[in-house]
């Protein structure tokens, strides 16, 4: 195993039940002490106390647990994301877990991203990051726009659209589990058309 990603604790549904900062710290410390493989620290502001990434806690974790090799982060605002990246980018690689925030994250010094869309177009994310670093901002934005077209499907039909896309690609999607439902017939046809337009699957009669 190359590494393990730690996700923030989610003890209850939505924002109604959220751990206090001391509970948050206890969770991360216990996991970091229990896991000896390299760790990816996953931080999403919406799961943090006060909807704010606890910078002091991250600083402490990086100091006390040197096997944390990178931070995968998303924030509610562009300003907060840039602040987190600026604080820690000189210590560990920073990756953005939001397609919408990827370009601002790269501008702030992130090394790349970790997003759901890579399961459908695994090379697009790496290519967009490489184009950005090479100074080809127009090429990066063009590819990023294509990635966001996929993201629009995930927002419209969470989980179900991704599994349908995997099936169109000839990959094993497994079944959609309740409460999610398979895509309606019309949406399935629209998704297939989009995948064809994006060049991810062949056009009819190819």
């Amino acid at each position: 195993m190359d590494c393990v990603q730690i996700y923030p604790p989610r003890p209850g549904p939505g924002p109604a039940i959220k751990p206090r900062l001391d509970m948050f710290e206890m969770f991360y410390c216990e996991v970091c002490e229990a896991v000896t493989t390299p760790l990816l620290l996953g931080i999403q502001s919406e799961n943090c106390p006060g909807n704010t990434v606890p910078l002091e806690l991250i600083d402490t974790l990086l100091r006390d647990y040197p096997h944390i090799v990178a931070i995968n982060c998303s924030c509610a605002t562009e300003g907060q994301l840039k602040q987190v990246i600026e604080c820690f980018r000189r210590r560990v690689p920073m990756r953005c877990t939001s397609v919408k925030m990827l370009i601002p994250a790269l501008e702030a010094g992130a090394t790349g991203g970790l997003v759901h869309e890579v399961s459908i177009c695994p090379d697009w994310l790496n290519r967009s990051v490489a184009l950005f670093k090479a100074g080809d901002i127009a090429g990066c934005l063009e590819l990023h726009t294509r990635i966001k077209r996929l993201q629009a499907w995930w927002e419209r039909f969470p989980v179900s659209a991704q599994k349908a896309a995997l099936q169109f690609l000839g990959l094993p999607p497994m079944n959609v589990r309740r409460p999610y439902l398979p895509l309606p017939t019309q949406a399935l046809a629209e998704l297939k058309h989009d995948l064809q337009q994006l060049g991810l699957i062949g056009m009819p009669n190819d």
Side-chain angles (χ1 to χ4, degrees), residues 6-11 19 24 27-28 41-45 47-48 72:
I6 311 174
Y7 284 97
R10 302 175 188 176
F24 206 73
F27 167 81
Y28 276 107
L41 188 62
I43 296 284
Q44 290 84 38
S45 64
N47 294 313
C48 296
N72 299 329

Side-chain angles (χ1 to χ4, degrees), residues 32-46:
C32 288
E33 289 170 5
V35 179
T36 58
T37 59
L39 290 173
L40 302 176
L41 188 62
I43 296 284
Q44 290 84 38
S45 64
E46 62 268 25

Side-chain angles (χ1 to χ4, degrees), residues 19-113:
R20 301 188 312 269
L21 183 58
D22 56 344
M23 299 162 64
F24 206 73
E25 180 175 4
M26 178 186 66
F27 167 81
Y28 276 107
C29 289
E30 287 186 348
V31 174
C32 288
E33 289 170 5
V35 179
T36 58
T37 59
L39 290 173
L40 302 176
L41 188 62
I43 296 284
Q44 290 84 38
S45 64
E46 62 268 25
N47 294 313
C48 296
N51 296 320
T52 302
V53 173
L55 301 178
E56 291 186 7
L57 173 57
I58 297 177
D59 178 70
T60 299
L61 293 172
L62 291 177
R63 182 195 65 209
D64 293 347
Y65 304 104
H67 57 306
I68 296 176
V69 297
I71 295 175
N72 299 329
C73 183
S74 67
C75 295
T77 67
E78 182 179 317
Q80 187 180 149
L81 178 63
K82 287 186 173 182
Q83 180 187 27
V84 175
I85 293 171
E86 177 59 31
C87 282
F88 304 111
R89 65 184 179 85
R90 295 175 182 84
R91 297 171 66 179
V92 292
M94 302 291 298
R95 303 189 185 99
C96 177
T97 59
S98 165
V99 170
K100 291 181 179 179
M101 296 277 192
L102 180 60
I103 301 299
L106 293 173
E107 291 172 343
T111 57

Side-chain angles (χ1 to χ4, degrees), residues 120 153-154 156-166 181 183 191:
I120 308 301
W153 276 99
W154 309 164
R156 186 178 167 195
F157 297 102
V159 178
S160 303
Q162 193 167 0
K163 288 183 177 291
L166 288 170
L181 296 170
L183 258 64
L191 173 60

